[in-house]
Amino acid sequence: MKVEHYKAFSQALVDWFLANGRDYPWRRTTNPWAILVSEIMLQQTTIPTVLARYEAWMNQFPTPAHLAEADEETALRSWEGLGYYRRVRSLRAAAIAICEKHAGVFPCDETTIRTLPGIGDYTTGALLSFAYNHPAPLVDANVSRVFARVFNDATPIDSPAGRRKHWELAAKLVHPTNPRAYNSAIMELGQTLCTTGGPTCLLCPVREFCTTTEPEKLPVKLLKKEASAIEHWDIWHLSPQGLLMEKQPDGKRHEGMYRLPRREQNEVSKLPHMCDQKYSVTRYKVTRHLHRGNVASPKNNERFIPLSELHSTPMASPDRKLVKRFLDDSEQ
Ligand code: SF4
């Protein structure tokens, strides 16, 4: 696409979005806190999953102060099902910073927004454009895919050169008076028409500007490492005091959350086998072998949690599923 067409490209996207844009709760507000929550949730979770959880979360934590005042276990428990718990810790840290350093008022200038914990380039662009209608650039995987095709560019989108190029393009193309609609539009184009499989070019509002003849071959990405297989051996110890659970220490991926206690394979191999659970985490394919057994001496970070407290105990989805499955089974 030629530089002289940039303005028309941005306007075509805005016009298309104003007529066809999807209605989401976070698009009905300019409240920066509500927008930050939606953006953090949407970073690694699908729109349908976020839609199912967003309004309940906003009812529980309608302002930064509500989240800042909640303890970490409550925040983690409320985030269950959304995954990638590092995000809720960052969100809570941002809420605390807003309360402690800005008297509970969400900052509106780029420099201050960037000082909040967990806020990077993308989230800064989203906050500035969606909350304040400030012409700030924004690039995510959808925007990169559209750029790679519109500009027929085979630079890997996840390479430093690809990222730099797309952020520069985003800054040049962002609509000067309606950046809120423009940034939503280009992401929505990538989600709905310019998709990863075969794009629907016939319906595309910017097809006259698009220079690729083989959109299916774009974008190009760097080669990814293959997923690694890992195995774990865990114990199910249910006693009159409750279910034995292990609290994850600081610095671990699920810091502050609970899981079924983990042991070496030779410590559990003679115990009755209950089930195998398989799931994927980032680039790992996990197989978890669960055995029933009595732990004579729980470790320092292990404790029996009464069954009545398990529902409010934060744990990742794989553990929640096992707890639900075997406690439901034992109640039948
Ligand atoms: S014309 Fe096709 S490939 Fe080009 S931006 Fe539109 S949907 Fe994507």
Side-chain angles (χ1 to χ4, degrees):
M1 179 169 63
K2 294 179 180 163
V3 176
E4 55 265 37
H5 294 146
Y6 282 12
K7 232 173 135 180
F9 170 89
S10 305
Q11 190 62 50
L13 273 178
V14 167
D15 293 345
W16 170 75
F17 180 77
L18 293 177
N20 301 285
R22 292 180 175 178
D23 178 33
Y24 296 127
W26 48 89
R27 285 187 176 160
R28 290 178 219 136
T29 179
T30 55
N31 174 342
W33 171 245
I35 287 166
L36 176 62
V37 170
S38 71
E39 289 300 334
I40 299 288
M41 284 186 176
L42 288 163
Q43 274 169 18
Q44 279 140 323
T45 306
T46 61
I47 291 176
T49 304
V50 173
L51 276 174
R53 303 292 304 282
Y54 178 72
E55 284 180 305
W57 174 277
M58 287 307 300
N59 285 335
Q60 188 176 3
F61 306 111
T63 67
H66 286 81
L67 184 57
E69 284 160 14
D71 60 38
E72 187 175 87
E73 284 204 2
T74 304
L76 289 168
R77 178 68 184 97
S78 299
W79 196 262
E80 266 189 41
L82 292 164
Y84 296 92
Y85 293 87
R86 204 177 294 275
R87 292 180 298 167
V88 67
R89 287 195 201 91
S90 287
L91 188 58
R92 186 164 166 272
I96 291 169
I98 290 166
C99 292
E100 290 182 353
K101 297 184 182 158
H102 308 290
V105 179
F106 207 104
C108 58
D109 66 285
E110 178 174 349
T111 309
T112 315
I113 286 174
R114 283 185 181 277
T115 64
L116 296 176
I119 308 278
D121 292 336
Y122 170 84
T123 314
T124 302
L127 281 166
L128 288 170
S129 58
F130 299 149
Y132 304 114
N133 206 31
H134 180 81
L138 169 161
V139 178
D140 71 350
N142 289 303
V143 176
S144 274
R145 188 181 323 110
V146 172
F147 282 167
R149 289 170 173 173
V150 168
F151 291 92
N152 197 26
D153 182 3
T155 312
I157 58 169
D158 47 355
S159 66
R163 283 197 203 98
R164 192 168 51 247
K165 203 183 260 187
H166 288 180
W167 276 97
E168 285 169 6
L169 277 174
K172 287 177 186 159
L173 286 163
V174 65
H175 196 281
T177 56
N178 202 344
R180 180 180 289 137
Y182 170 81
N183 278 340
S184 294
I186 193 159
M187 288 198 292
E188 189 148 314
L189 180 66
Q191 286 160 5
T192 58
L193 298 177
C194 197
T195 51
T196 41
T200 314
C201 300
L202 273 179
L203 299 178
C204 178
V206 291
R207 65 185 176 284
E208 65 182 290
F209 307 103
C210 186
T211 55
T212 183
T213 51
E214 295 183 297
E216 304 80 9
K217 294 190 176 168
L218 293 168
V220 172
K221 288 186 183 174
L222 296 170
L223 284 180
K224 282 240 156 54
K225 282 187 191 166
E226 285 205 3
S228 312
I230 50 173
E231 289 181 273
H232 295 302
W233 289 266
D234 293 348
I235 287 204
W236 178 270
H237 183 175
L238 185 62
S239 82
Q241 291 82 49
L243 182 66
L244 190 65
M245 300 287 287
E246 172 188 318
K247 188 171 185 181
Q248 299 307 291
D250 291 355
K252 286 280 185 187
R253 186 162 183 270
H254 286 143
E255 169 185 335
M257 302 179 78
Y258 286 81
R259 74 167 181 216
L260 294 164
R262 187 144 296 168
R263 294 292 185 270
E264 296 298 325
Q265 181 179 11
N266 60 2
E267 294 178 84
V268 303
S269 55
K270 295 204 173 106
L271 298 174
H273 176 250
M274 293 175 75
C275 72
D276 286 340
Q277 185 185 44
K278 292 178 190 283
Y279 55 93
S280 295
V281 178
T282 59
R283 59 178 205 85
Y284 296 101
K285 287 187 174 167
V286 182
T287 302
R288 186 181 199 190
H289 310 282
L290 186 62
H291 293 259
R292 191 187 304 276
N294 286 342
V295 177
S297 313
K299 297 178 182 173
N300 283 346
N301 59 340
E302 295 173 350
R303 73 178 177 94
F304 288 98
I305 299 184
L307 300 192
S308 60
E309 290 176 19
L310 279 174
H311 74 280
S312 59
T313 302
M315 59 186 89
S317 293
D319 289 82
R320 181 67 65 194
K321 281 182 191 153
L322 289 177
V323 165
K324 197 164 169 0
R325 173 179 166 187
F326 288 106
L327 285 181
D328 284 355
D329 283 356
S330 68
E331 283 164 10
Q332 285 165 11

